[in-house]
Amino acid sequence: MCNPITVDIPPRKEGQQHVLQLHVAPIPNVKVGIVGLGERGLRAVERLSCIHGATIVAICDISSKKVEELGKKLHINHLYDGNDGYKRMCHEVEIDLIYICTDWNSHTPIALEALYSGHHVAVEVPAATSLNDIWSLIDAAEQTQRHCMMLENCVYDFFEQSTLQMARAGLFGEIIHVEGGYAHEIADKWPIWRLEINRKLRGDIYPTHGMGPACQLLNIHRGDELDYLVSMDSSSWKGKQTYQKYINEVEDFQNGDQTTTIIRTRKGKTILLQHNVMTPRPYSRMYQITGTIGFAEKYPIEQILLHHEDYRVNEDRHQPLSKEETNNLLKEYEPSYITQLRPVAANLDPRGGMAYFMDSKLIECLNKGLPLDMDVYDMAEWCSIIELSKISIMNGSAPVKFPDFLRK
């Protein structure tokens, strides 16, 4: 292999410390300020309002009408609107956690303001779309010793969580390959700002739904590390047509209809990522596990094949478990918090409950002063695919080295 392309790693400033396994003082009642009251923000308000140990004390949105209506409905007194409302909220209200649900372009600026004003941060995906923004968030978290968690809810879905526990119990043996991604046609649901991002950026610009579960399975920065990637994309046929349909004529549309990225870890394991939001296809996050004695995948159907001595029930080595056996196994390894919260979660989250599980775990960890499930380095590794895949594609699908975000 030729030497991978490398990117700059800014030095850690004197006195700045890492935030691995960050512990902070327990917060018995987490005071939450929510920025962004679009569809995701309103769902977050509904979920957080039902979680014991959290209280929404402030809300913010560009639209004063949205803020006033919701504030009146929920009896919230601290209301902020306009383009700089989040800045005033960060400095004027006693808040523990700033929860960010705005468009991608504003994620990093709002998160930085929140961190440097002394708040913990939870920010929607992707938290950052450039390496510069990623390093800015890492530095802010390290300088302030505050949590900066990306709200990657897909790691909390039922199948992902149960198979993660199965993996940790050794049912798949040594996991050697994981697949993930994001594929479904957005069609007439495109927000203008997101279509503009697709016009401007090349590469896998929405990688975290696939990367999150994959990195947790492979213990990234907890025993293994991402080494390098190679990426390739198709030309843009449907993307250019979509932009012309909803916005205007366009000659230069950067994002390919299909982007494929292959990643190798330091221990020699691989990840395959795919991204396609343009062409007609069933919704899929491609989630797939290949181990030395087992296999699992979620799409297009949930199926598990095991050669583990305690679970192999079919003499045909190629035959997966039956649907009943699969469901029983998933239930056996389902984390207890999912079992406990499932009745409430199903009513609050149209995607089955994963966002409610995510919020509940986040608040529980802050209540108890525990490290969060996902830290700022997870955010960095998963979001870095956006720019690193572009670098690879722009250089003829050359290998690109992952920077050491922990600066060991």
Side-chain angles (χ1 to χ4, degrees):
M1 183 191 75
C2 62
N3 291 330
I5 297 170
T6 59
V7 296
D8 292 336
I9 301 176
R12 180 175 280 136
K13 295 180 181 179
E14 186 176 353
Q16 188 171 312
Q17 297 180 342
H18 72 75
V19 287
L20 279 171
Q21 291 295 299
L22 178 65
H23 287 75
V24 298
I27 309 172
N29 180 45
V30 180
K31 300 180 182 67
V32 183
I34 296 181
V35 184
L37 299 177
E39 182 181 357
R40 290 199 180 196
L42 291 175
R43 287 179 178 174
V45 168
E46 186 178 15
R47 295 192 306 268
L48 288 163
S49 297
C50 297
I51 295 176
H52 177 73
T55 303
I56 300 172
V57 299
I59 54 176
C60 175
D61 192 88
I62 291 178
S63 168
S64 58
K65 182 180 179 180
K66 284 185 178 180
V67 171
E68 290 171 5
E69 289 179 350
L70 186 61
K72 184 177 181 180
K73 179 181 179 182
L74 299 180
H75 307 290
I76 296 173
N77 296 323
H78 300 292
L79 311 177
Y80 295 89
D81 59 19
N83 291 321
D84 66 345
Y86 71 91
K87 294 182 180 179
R88 290 179 280 119
M89 186 177 79
C90 285
H91 293 276
E92 294 177 4
V93 189
E94 183 180 342
I95 294 174
D96 301 304
L97 174 70
I98 302 292
Y99 196 107
I100 303 167
C101 301
T102 58
D103 66 89
W104 301 359
N105 294 317
S106 58
H107 284 174
T108 297
I110 298 172
L112 290 173
E113 186 75 28
L115 288 165
Y116 282 121
S117 55
H119 309 296
H120 301 294
V121 166
V123 56
E124 267 291 355
V125 299
T129 57
S130 72
L131 291 174
N132 283 339
D133 283 350
I134 288 171
W135 285 115
S136 295
L137 290 171
I138 291 174
D139 285 340
E142 291 183 348
Q143 289 171 27
T144 61
Q145 293 293 292
R146 292 292 183 267
H147 291 297
C148 180
M149 170 180 151
M150 185 166 62
L151 294 163
E152 182 41 77
N153 56 16
C154 290
V155 305
Y156 293 93
D157 210 351
F158 305 115
F159 193 86
E160 283 86 336
Q161 279 289 294
S162 290
T163 50
L164 176 62
Q165 300 310 314
M166 292 169 59
R168 290 173 174 170
L171 268 65
F172 301 112
E174 189 75 28
I175 296 177
I176 62 171
H177 176 76
V178 184
E179 298 187 10
Y182 190 68
H184 75 101
E185 185 184 18
I186 294 180
D188 59 351
K189 293 183 172 58
W190 279 102
I192 299 302
W193 61 263
R194 185 167 176 179
L195 198 48
E196 283 289 354
I197 290 176
N198 278 261
R199 180 181 69 82
K200 295 176 181 177
L201 297 184
R202 193 173 181 185
D204 187 335
I205 63 174
Y206 201 58
T208 68
H209 285 342
M211 278 297 286
C215 287
Q216 289 198 341
L217 284 164
L218 297 179
N219 296 315
I220 299 303
H221 88 245
R222 297 167 177 83
D224 198 357
E225 299 174 17
L226 301 175
D227 193 359
Y228 65 90
L229 63 71
V230 293
S231 295
M232 182 179 294
D233 64 354
S234 73
S235 296
S236 174
W237 285 281
K238 190 65 180 294
K240 186 179 291 187
Q241 293 171 8
T242 301
Y243 190 89
Q244 290 176 167
K245 179 178 180 180
Y246 294 110
I247 301 182
N248 207 342
E249 292 291 322
V250 63
E251 290 297 325
D252 181 24
F253 191 93
Q254 286 292 303
N255 203 246
D257 289 344
Q258 172 85 21
T259 303
T260 301
T261 299
I262 302 174
I263 301 164
R264 185 176 173 87
T265 75
R266 293 283 180 86
K267 289 187 174 180
K269 301 178 179 186
T270 54
I271 301 171
L272 172 65
L273 284 183
Q274 296 186 55
H275 176 261
N276 183 339
V277 291
M278 293 297 177
T279 65
R281 57 189 298 174
Y283 179 93
S284 175
R285 297 198 301 273
M286 286 93 179
Y287 182 75
Q288 187 182 107
I289 306 168
T290 299
T292 54
I293 60 171
F295 172 90
E297 68 177 355
K298 184 172 183 177
Y299 302 93
I301 61 171
E302 295 181 359
Q303 57 180 344
I304 297 172
L305 186 155
L306 297 177
H307 288 176
H308 192 285
E309 59 183 8
D310 293 337
Y311 290 94
R312 187 180 171 203
V313 296
N314 197 307
E315 289 304 313
D316 183 351
R317 297 179 64 85
H318 304 97
Q319 185 69 32
L321 300 176
S322 69
K323 184 175 182 179
E324 181 181 2
E325 290 163 343
T326 296
N327 290 338
N328 288 340
L329 188 61
L330 291 171
K331 191 67 177 178
E332 178 183 349
Y333 282 89
E334 181 177 274
S336 59
Y337 76 89
I338 287 183
T339 305
Q340 294 165 4
L341 297 175
R342 187 190 290 270
V344 178
N347 293 325
L348 290 172
D349 187 348
R351 291 160 294 188
M354 58 187 180
Y356 184 77
F357 301 142
M358 172 186 69
D359 290 340
S360 297
K361 287 278 285 181
L362 166 61
I363 297 303
E364 180 186 13
C365 288
L366 291 174
N367 289 156
K368 296 179 178 179
L370 301 173
L372 306 187
D373 292 346
M374 299 177 285
D375 60 29
V376 72
Y377 308 112
D378 293 310
M379 176 281 298
E381 289 154 348
W382 306 351
C383 287
S384 70
I385 303 296
I386 297 173
E387 186 164 343
L388 297 181
S389 63
K390 176 184 176 180
I391 294 171
S392 176
I393 291 169
M394 298 298 285
N395 287 274
S397 298
V400 181
K401 189 84 170 174
F402 280 87
D404 177 12
F405 291 110
L406 279 73
R407 294 184 280 210
K408 295 189 294 295

